[in-house]
Amino acid sequence: MRIPYGTTGLELKRDVSGAEVLESAIGTLKAQASEDDLVRQAMANPIGSPTLRQLAQGKKTATIIISDHTRPVPSKHILPFMLEELRQGNPDIDITLLIATGFHRPTTHEELVNKVGEKIANEEKFVCHDSRDAESNVEIGVLPSGAKLVIDKVAAQTDLLVAEGFIEPHFFAGFSGGRKSILPGVCDQVTVLGNHCAKFIDSPYARTGILEGNPLHNDMVAAAKLAKLQYIVNVVIDEDKHVAAAFAGDPFQAHEQGCAFLKGYCRVKPEKKGDIVLTSNGGAPLDQNVYQSVKGLTAAEAAAAPGAVLIISARCNDGTGGESFYRALRDCSSLDELMDRILATPMDKTDPDQWEYQILCRMMRKHRIIFVSDPAMQQTLEEMKLEYAPDLDTALDRAFADKGPDAHLVLIPNGISVIVEP
C-alpha cells in the first residue's frame, strides 16, 4: 500500500492484510457536465434565492468575496459567470472583488493571476482584506458568543454582498464554504481570534463534518447574516481539484445542500476503533508543515480507541508552520499544564495559532503520536514532545510493540478527505 507523503508517497512494506481501511468515495465522484456548465446550471437554478442577475437590479455597488491563495477554489470556472450575471442584471454596477485572506498573509499578484486568470486579474478591481489593519475594518454588530463582529469596510458598505467558495470537510468548523467567506474570510483579527477561542475549540461539536451544535459554526452563520451576505456559488471538487458539483443561491440553504452532498462521499465508519491508526495529510502541498498536519491527525483521533498509537505520514519539509505553535509545545512544562493555560484564556485574549496547538495538545494527552517525516525534522518534533520515525514500517513496528501483536490497525490513507463517524 502507498500512503501520501510529499510529492512521491511512501511504500508500506509490512503485511497489513488484516487492517481496516477507511477511504472517502470522492474518487468515484464523476462530473455530469463540464466545470463551466455545472456552475452555469447551478446559477440558473439558485437554491432559495432569486438569480444573481435579479439581485443586481437597482444596486449601485456589488462586492464578490473570493477565496485567497491558500484555497484550491477553481475560481476561473466561477468568477466569469458571476461577473457576467451581475452586469447582465445591471450594466452600470460597480463591482469590487474582495480577497478573503482571513488570518493569512496577503495574496500576491502572481498568485491572483494563477487563481482567476490574466483577464480578470488585470481588468477587475481588487481589494485584499487585511485582518490586522483596524482602519480598513468596521464593527457592525455583536455575535451570539458576545464577540464583536468587525468586518472589512468594502464588505460592510456595499449594496450587494455575494461570495464564491468551495466545500470540504473542516476539522473544527465542520465544513468549509458558505458562511466562512465572512468569518474568518473578511473579519478583523479581533473577531477571528474570538471565534477560534479555547472554549469553542474545546466543544465536542467542533469536529469534522459537524454543524449542528458547533459553536464556531453558529457564530459564523450569525456573522454572515449580520454582514447581509445574499448569495453564494460554492463548488465541490474532485481529487484532481476540478468542479464536480456546484451549489448556488441562498448562502445558508445552498451551503447546507452542498455539505449534505459531500458528506455522502466522505463519511466513513470504522467497524472497530483502532488500537493503532495510520493516516496522512494528503501529501503535498498539505503536508508541508506540522501545523497543517494536525488536520489529518484529527481523522486518526476520531477512529482511535482510548490510548491508541496514532501515526501520520507528513513530510513537513517547510518546518513547524508557526513559531508560536512550535514554542507552545516546546516550552510547556507538561501537556496538562499547557491545556490548563489554554482553557483559562478568555475569548478576547486568544493567541494566534492557539487553536492549532490546543487541538494537537488534546490528541497528545490521549494518544502516543508518531510522525513519519523529513529526517531534518526529528529534533524539532522531539522538542515539541512528538515522536519521529524514519519510515512507516519502523513506526508500525514500534506501535505493535506497544499495543501487542493482535492490535487492531486502522488505515486512513488520506486523513483530510474523510469524515470519521462513531
Side-chain angles (χ1 to χ4, degrees), residues 208-358:
T208 307
I210 297 177
L211 296 179
E212 188 173 352
N214 186 328
L216 291 109
H217 169 70
N218 292 341
D219 257 21
M220 288 173 178
V221 168
K225 289 179 177 177
L226 284 166
K228 297 185 173 69
L229 180 64
Q230 292 190 50
Y231 181 98
I232 63 167
V233 180
N234 275 192
V235 298
V236 170
I237 58 177
D238 63 19
E239 290 181 322
D240 297 317
K241 297 182 172 56
H242 296 147
V243 177
F247 303 85
D250 177 80
F252 313 103
Q253 294 180 45
H255 183 249
E256 285 172 11
Q257 286 199 25
C259 292
F261 173 86
L262 180 62
K263 199 168 188 177
Y265 288 90
C266 293
R267 186 168 43 202
V268 295
K269 188 174 182 178
E271 293 178 14
K272 181 185 176 185
K273 293 275 191 177
D275 302 307
I276 303 166
V277 187
L278 188 157
T279 191
S280 82
N281 215 54
L286 299 173
D287 72 345
Q288 64 185 287
N289 56 49
V290 183
Y291 185 102
Q292 292 293 336
S293 302
V294 174
K295 298 175 183 178
L297 273 169
T298 61
E301 175 195 30
V309 179
L310 310 185
I311 302 168
I312 186 160
S313 160
R315 189 178 169 203
C316 302
N317 53 296
D318 197 29
T320 61
E323 189 64 19
S324 60
F325 168 72
Y326 160 68
R327 288 179 181 274
L329 287 155
R330 185 196 68 179
D331 296 344
C332 66
S333 59
S334 70
L335 295 171
D336 287 345
E337 176 267 321
L338 176 59
M339 186 58 79
D340 288 344
R341 178 155 43 92
I342 293 167
L343 294 177
T345 303
M347 174 182 283
D348 62 351
K349 301 295 183 185
T350 303
D351 284 330
D353 296 336
Q354 177 183 294
W355 49 92
E356 209 79 7
Y357 59 77
Q358 179 178 353

Side-chain angles (χ1 to χ4, degrees), residues 5 66 95 129 135 190 273 276 342 344 387 389:
Y5 176 89
I66 71 167
I95 302 172
H129 171 66
E135 292 300 312
V190 68
K273 293 275 191 177
I276 303 166
I342 293 167
E387 191 172 336

